Amino acid sequence: FRTSVTLPPGVTKADIATSTPLIFPTANGAEAHALFYAPASSTSALQDGEKPPLVVMAHGGPTGRANPSFAFKVQWWTSRGFAVLDVNYRGSTGFGRAYREALDRQWGVADIEDCLAGVRAVLDRGLADPARCVIRGSSAGGLTVLGALAQSDLFAAGTSLYGVTDLRALAEETHKFEARYLDGLIGPYPEDEAVYLKRSPITQAEGITVPVLFLHGGADRVVPLSQAESMRTKLEHSALHVYPEEAHGFRARETIEDALQRELAFYQQVFGQ
C-alpha cells in the first residue's frame, strides 16, 4: 500500500479502502465492470457473521466512469461501515469503443441492467447484506438510480442528487450540443418522444415503493429543480432538500458536508439504526 499524501492525524492506512475490480455477467450475455470496496476502519469492525450494508454508485455523464483513484465520496461510506460498489456500466469510458457504444440508444436500459447485475454479483459472493442495499447517483446517475428502484426489489432506499427524472423535459430544455448527445443515447427528439417518456423515471414512479431522498440545487439550469419537485410529488415515501444557491453539482464545502450527513442519516433511519 502506497500513499501519495500525508494522512491527517488519527487516520491510518487501515482506514483507507482500496478497490477490487469486478467483472460480472449482465443482460444479453454481456459483461460489465465495477469497483468494489470493503469497509475499512482501524477502530471498529463488523460483528461476527455480520455482512456490511452496500452503497451502489451510478456515475454521471452517463458516459463518464468510476475511477479507482482515491475518492472522498467512497471513503466517506467505507469508513462508516458500508461496502461500496462503484459501477462502470456499459457506456463508461476506459473499456474500449465497443463497451462505450453499448449505451448508444440504450441509456435508461443498459445502465440499469448493469447496476442490478452488479448488486447480484456482490450478493452472490456474500460480500454485503441483502437487506441493506441502497443506491445513489448524481445527474445522469440519478435517472439510473430511480430506474433501478422502479425495476427491482434489491434496494432498501435510494438517493438522487440533482438527478434527471424527465427525459422529455430535458430534451426540450437542453442546448443544441447536449441535444445531439441525447439523440445518440436515446434517439432523435421529438421523433422518439415515446422512448423518452418510457425511460423517464417520472413515468415509472408507481414502481418505486422504497424511500427516496432528493438533493438538488435551487439554481440548477442543467437539470432544473422542477424535475426533482415533480418526481417528489409522485412518491409517497420520499423527501426533497434544496440548496438554494447551488447549481448543477454541489460546490460549497458546507453543502457537500450537509448532503453527506443528511444522506447517511436517511439510510440509518431506513435501516432502523
Side-chain angles (χ1 to χ4, degrees):
F1 188 96
R2 182 170 59 89
T3 59
S4 58
V5 296
T6 301
L7 297 174
V11 179
T12 70
K13 293 178 181 178
D15 296 308
I16 307 299
T18 57
S19 63
T20 299
L22 291 184
I23 302 175
F24 50 89
T26 187
N28 303 315
E31 289 185 331
H33 299 262
L35 300 170
F36 178 79
Y37 299 80
S41 173
S42 60
T43 58
S44 61
L46 296 169
Q47 297 179 2
D48 290 344
E50 181 185 7
K51 295 177 181 179
L54 178 69
V55 173
V56 179
M57 294 186 175
H59 64 70
T63 53
R65 68 170 297 180
N67 196 303
S69 61
F70 180 90
F72 177 80
K73 69 176 182 179
V74 170
Q75 303 298 324
W76 166 267
W77 299 107
T78 56
S79 65
R80 286 159 176 79
F82 288 78
V84 170
L85 184 71
D86 208 355
V87 184
N88 273 313
Y89 49 78
R90 284 169 289 171
S92 303
T93 59
F95 301 92
R97 176 177 291 182
Y99 196 77
R100 159 60 190 88
E101 292 178 347
L103 196 64
D104 290 354
R105 300 291 183 100
Q106 293 298 306
W107 183 30
V109 178
D111 49 318
I112 295 170
E113 291 173 340
D114 294 355
C115 285
L116 300 181
V119 175
R120 295 187 183 103
V122 168
L123 297 180
D124 286 346
R125 290 167 170 80
L127 299 175
D129 182 351
R132 294 188 293 167
C133 296
V134 297
I135 184 168
R136 72 188 306 271
S138 58
S139 191
L143 179 140
T144 305
V145 164
L146 296 167
L149 294 177
Q151 298 172 34
S152 81
D153 59 359
L154 289 173
F155 302 103
T159 298
S160 171
L161 298 98
Y162 40 94
V164 176
T165 69
D166 187 338
L167 285 167
R168 183 172 63 174
L170 186 70
E172 291 174 346
E173 295 168 357
T174 194
H175 52 74
K176 291 183 178 180
F177 173 78
E178 291 287 352
R180 301 289 77 77
Y181 186 46
L182 291 176
D183 284 355
L185 292 170
I186 302 170
Y189 187 86
E191 294 90 333
D192 285 341
E193 181 179 10
V195 180
Y196 281 71
L197 286 171
K198 181 179 179 180
R199 296 188 191 170
S200 293
I202 198 76
T203 64
Q204 302 176 35
E206 64 181 18
I208 300 177
T209 59
V210 299
V212 180
L213 175 64
F214 295 93
L215 301 172
H216 217 102
D220 193 336
R221 295 184 178 180
V222 178
V223 181
L225 175 59
S226 59
Q227 293 229 357
E229 291 174 330
S230 297
M231 192 71 186
R232 162 70 182 88
T233 63
K234 290 182 173 290
L235 301 178
E236 180 179 358
H237 304 292
S238 63
L240 167 64
H241 185 78
V242 180
Y243 298 96
E245 304 302 320
E246 291 285 356
H248 193 66
F250 300 153
R251 299 291 184 267
R253 175 177 176 175
E254 295 79 7
T255 300
I256 295 170
E257 290 177 350
D258 182 81
L260 286 168
Q261 292 282 6
R262 195 175 293 273
E263 186 178 352
L264 175 61
F266 171 64
Y267 297 146
Q268 288 173 334
Q269 183 180 24
V270 169
F271 298 156
Q273 298 178 347

